[in-house]
Amino acid sequence: MAVSVPTSLAEAVSLLSGAPDSVVLAGGTDLMVEANSGHRQIASVIAIDRVPELRTWGVDVVRRNLWIGSGVPYSTVMQPGIASLVPALAQASRTVGSPQIRHVGTIGGNLGTCSPAGDTLPVLAALDARVHLASVSGERSVGFDEFMVGVKRTSRRPDELITGVTIPILNGWQGYSKVGVRNAMVIATASSCLAVDTDGRSVRIGLGSVGPVIIRCGEAEQWISGRVDWSELSVSNADVDEFGLRCGAAARPIDDHRSTAAYRRRAVEVLAARQLRRAFPNG
Ligand SMILES: Cc1cc2nc3c(=O)[nH]c(=O)nc-3n(C[C@H](O)[C@H](O)[C@H](O)COP(=O)(O)OP(=O)(O)OC[C@H]3O[C@@H](n4cnc5c(N)ncnc54)[C@H](O)[C@@H]3O)c2cc1C
């Protein structure tokens, strides 16, 4: 098997353009599992862990955006620098696998696999993140909702590298919660990220593992954003319960080896209501 190890972004996209059927290898925590189990035939690999441009992060203070390179590992996202700006992403990162997985597994790899159970994805959806892609033809960015198009399916073209994400920095509470069969080393049975934008007076929510893609609950978001008392930052108990039910109604869960559809729907009802109450502790 041919393995290339580019040391710059230009070299990486040039290699990918010359061989678009090559497989991109970041931390390898998804890819090597697939390769070792024989689920993926790999002819050639482009290993991107030595591309410095992909391993940076930074803040655009004018646009109030955070940039995170696709090669940034979870262990970095959990540090105060990023965690203080997008706490929900740090929370999601803390729930991924084990310390070893978090040390090498990357945001770009979570996006590359694009499983509905990927822990960072409900956060990227709820925060309206943009995914950046590069090829020899140039760069483009798409909203997360345009990037993830199905179960493990994305709008990335074969000759494109995911270079990173930009995430709006919001004022307001945000959090990520996941339900699984145990507390650690677990793939989500259901997950939820709720984010409040107090400046825009809106509540957003992204649900994971309850549909083929991450589900934004547009109707429930609009409804609850109109019910919150934004001057007191409070919401009634009845509205908290109703919000949970509306989010559950938006879910499109299935029965599979991890859970039943009914359990998943109930789980996101509870997660959504609980997160809303945490966001607005005053009833
Ligand atoms: C024991 C274990 C526990 C795990 N637990 C969790 C968990 O709790 N939650 C969770 O969400 N995931 C979990 N995972 C899955 C995995 O760790 C994550 O999805 C991780 O983010 C993958 O990142 P990576 O850098 O290792 O990607 P890789 O395995 O290197 O790549 C994954 C896919 O993305 C593509 N890719 C990677 N980077 C790019 C890029 N820059 N451009 C284009 N394509 C790219 C690859 O070609 C490949 O198809 C677990 C995996 C293991 C083995």
Side-chain angles (χ1 to χ4, degrees), residues 103-182:
H103 190 62
V104 291
T106 62
I107 298 269
N110 219 217
L111 282 163
T113 298
C114 234
S115 158
D119 280 309
T120 66
L121 307 184
V123 182
L124 298 177
L127 295 179
D128 286 332
R130 290 192 75 76
V131 181
H132 296 259
L133 300 142
S135 69
V136 286
S137 326
E139 295 178 11
R140 68 183 179 115
S141 74
V142 292
F144 177 81
D145 56 332
E146 304 159 76
F147 179 78
M148 184 176 195
V149 296
V151 177
K152 298 192 173 182
R153 284 183 36 238
T154 74
S155 57
R156 178 181 85 88
R157 293 194 299 261
D159 66 336
E160 285 180 319
L161 204 60
I162 303 164
T163 52
V165 288
T166 44
I167 307 172
I169 298 169
L170 302 180
N171 287 324
W173 187 93
Q174 55 182 249
Y176 174 78
S177 306
K178 118 186 188 187
V179 172
V181 291
R182 53 180 182 260

Side-chain angles (χ1 to χ4, degrees), residues 7-23:
T7 53
S8 72
L9 182 57
E11 188 187 355
V13 292
S14 161
L15 283 165
L16 195 53
S17 138
D21 54 347
S22 289
V23 170

Side-chain angles (χ1 to χ4, degrees), residues 207-232:
L207 306 178
S209 282
V210 288
V213 296
I214 304 303
I215 293 184
R216 278 286 297 266
C217 310
E219 187 275 334
E221 291 179 11
Q222 229 178 348
W223 177 80
I224 196 65
S225 299
R227 303 288 299 176
V228 169
D229 180 336
W230 290 100
S231 55
E232 298 289 326

